[in-house]
Amino acid sequence: MTSIPRRIGVLTGGGDCPGLNAVLRSVTKHAIQSGLDVHGIEDGFLGLIENRVRELRYDDVSGILKLGGTILGTSNKANPSRFATGQTEDGKVIWEDVTANCFDTIEEHGLEALVVLGGDGTMACAQPFAAAGIPVIGVPKTIDNDVHGTELTFGFQSAVEVATEALDRVHTTAESHGRALIVEVMGRNAGWIALHAGIAGGADVVLIPEIPFKLEHVLEQIEWRTSIGRRSTIICVAEGACMEGGEQVVHALDPTSPDPVKLGGIGEQIAHEIDARSEVEARAVTLGHVQRGGSPVADDRVLGTLFGAHATHLLLEGASNRMVAWRGGAVGDVDITVPGQGQRTVPIDDPHVLAARSCYTTFGDDVPRKLREEARGRGPRGLLR
Ligand code: F6P
């Protein structure tokens, strides 16, 4: 335990997501009421590197609860320990440790503690400051819901809502035309968005990175649905999903980013294969950043408010190096190094996976025929025609 800080800095790092402003509002209002000064650092750690810091008062955070994005701006490239400062003539990125600039900024503004809103990358970026004795409190965000130590990140439920609406919408057009409709969602190497939206949107096929799939099984599902008179097949695919023995589909590479691989394109590939190998016409939609934009859903506003209040509460208790977390249905906190374990992915026996399978959804790793045959034998009138 350290002493209670009087002046705190707050930043939002990594990719944005709905709910960041709800947390900023909650942290700031709670801190101001408790007699602390709050300073907002612009564009994540870039603002510390470039000395861009401004005071946050009540008026600055009033009315922002339902705003998407972040009023402070963010950057998913600014890791002070390994910061891209340029490129050599032959295109190699020049990396430098610019942590000293950040310490200068912290000193100039008299910041005695930091609240960092971000994912695993942001928590890792905060380590040198925690190690130097500056209390740091992390607040986990990301639409991907893949941060270790917390069962839920804010932003996730908003992204699932967008993806579910997209699935609902493609359902009707798929039915009209008798097509297979594929919706590709984000999530990096984790399938949480695809899994939850797939269940909520009634997808017949859910493809996630944790369960490699075979195209044959996807085609069999389409064939089976056609054979029982269903006009459409809805497929929800995570951008990180890949075929058994294959590789993830990369949309772009950004060598200046700590996360250089940008995934995307698997949905179009599957559509192409379905067109080529079946009688059914397929179309693909990639949702992309639509999932990250716009207002947070009510649950993310509530979670963000709870998280922000707890972050300030931890600082007022003199705590340091903790990350706020959602565990067992309540807000708590864990050591800030816990997210460093890597991405929290979907266990293949997760109850959501099992529940989806029990509703005839395939993950492309199996033919649901066995299940269907069993159901036919068991059902009072037979579940299938
Ligand atoms: O981590 C959030 C996320 O939206 C991922 O789902 C996606 O793979 C990535 O960020 C996209 O990054 P960028 O905004 O840099 O294109």
Side-chain angles (χ1 to χ4, degrees):
M1 290 288 170
T2 49
S3 60
I4 297 169
R6 307 301 335 155
R7 183 180 284 218
I8 66 171
V10 57
L11 63 81
T12 52
D16 73 337
C17 74
L20 284 165
N21 287 325
V23 182
L24 291 175
R25 168 181 175 273
S26 177
V27 166
T28 306
K29 285 190 171 179
H30 188 12
I32 290 172
Q33 269 196 75
S34 309
L36 309 188
D37 287 339
V38 183
H39 283 67
I41 299 154
E42 294 174 353
D43 296 336
F45 285 99
L46 194 60
L48 272 189
I49 297 167
E50 297 177 348
N51 192 6
R52 287 189 280 114
V53 178
R54 62 174 198 259
E55 187 170 2
L56 291 181
R57 297 169 192 269
Y58 184 94
D59 276 353
D60 297 308
V61 295
S62 184
I64 66 169
L65 178 61
K66 61 180 187 299
L67 276 187
T70 159
I71 59 161
L72 290 178
T74 187
S75 165
N76 57 6
K77 297 187 182 183
N79 176 356
S81 309
R82 193 167 184 269
F83 184 62
T85 52
Q87 281 187 321
T88 58
E89 269 176 19
D90 56 350
K92 285 207 182 96
V93 180
I94 303 165
W95 301 100
E96 277 180 55
D97 183 343
V98 294
T99 316
N101 297 26
C102 302
F103 283 116
D104 289 346
T105 304
I106 288 170
E107 198 178 326
E108 185 179 325
H109 295 274
L111 304 180
E112 294 169 354
L114 295 175
V115 177
V116 298
L117 282 53
D120 50 350
T122 302
M123 301 304 150
C125 287
Q127 293 308 307
F129 306 100
I134 298 165
V136 178
I137 301 296
V139 187
K141 65 90 228 188
T142 170
I143 61 164
D144 304 337
N145 202 31
D146 61 352
V147 179
H148 266 293
T150 183
E151 290 154 19
L152 202 53
T153 54
F154 62 90
F156 169 64
Q157 296 173 97
S158 301
V160 168
E161 202 61 44
V162 172
T164 302
E165 194 194 335
L167 287 164
D168 287 350
R169 285 179 180 274
V170 300
H171 244 115
T172 57
T173 173
E175 277 289 306
S176 307
H177 288 265
R179 285 174 172 161
L181 244 302
I182 301 152
V183 175
E184 180 183 312
V185 301
M186 282 184 161
R188 288 200 290 169
N189 302 308
W192 294 109
I193 299 176
L195 179 59
H196 282 247
I199 291 174
D204 308 296
V205 181
V206 174
L207 303 173
I208 60 176
E210 295 83 350
I211 305 177
F213 68 93
K214 281 193 174 148
L215 201 71
E216 289 68 31
H217 296 329
V218 176
L219 294 171
E220 275 165 332
Q221 180 80 330
I222 295 171
E223 196 182 316
W224 169 64
R225 283 184 57 79
T226 308
S227 76
I228 61 166
R230 304 308 302 179
R231 284 176 58 82
S232 67
T233 297
I234 305 299
I235 302 172
C236 183
V237 58
E239 61 181 2
C242 67
M243 290 188 213
E244 211 175 272
E247 286 182 358
Q248 288 177 320
V249 182
V250 175
H251 157 72
L253 284 172
D254 179 357
T256 64
S257 168
D259 224 351
V261 177
K262 303 293 167 197
L263 297 169
I266 182 74
E268 282 293 350
Q269 273 197 7
I270 295 170
H272 179 76
E273 292 293 330
I274 294 171
D275 274 340
R277 293 167 61 176
S278 82
E279 299 295 308
V280 174
E281 225 182 10
R283 295 285 187 273
V285 181
T286 302
L287 291 188
H289 291 79
V290 170
Q291 292 154 101
R292 284 209 338 225
S295 283
V297 295
D299 282 341
D300 276 334
R301 298 181 200 186
V302 174
L303 189 65
T305 303
L306 291 174
F307 274 10
H310 191 66
T312 304
H313 168 75
L314 286 170
L315 286 176
L316 292 169
E317 272 195 326
S320 176
N321 308 337
R322 306 291 296 168
M323 182 186 79
V324 176
W326 184 258
R327 293 167 79 81
V331 180
D333 47 272
V334 295
D335 193 279
I336 200 167
T337 57
V338 171
Q341 292 170 13
Q343 267 185 292
R344 189 180 72 90
T345 52
V346 177
I348 57 169
D349 58 350
D350 185 271
H352 295 87
V353 174
L354 303 182
R357 286 194 197 277
S358 71
C359 289
Y360 290 82
T361 296
T362 179
F363 286 79
D365 59 331
D366 198 5
V367 198
R369 189 187 303 130
K370 197 160 168 277
L371 176 72
R372 294 198 294 270
E373 279 167 0
E374 280 172 17
R376 188 184 283 123
R378 269 201 317 266
R381 288 182 291 131
L383 289 177
L384 306 178
R385 277 185 270 162

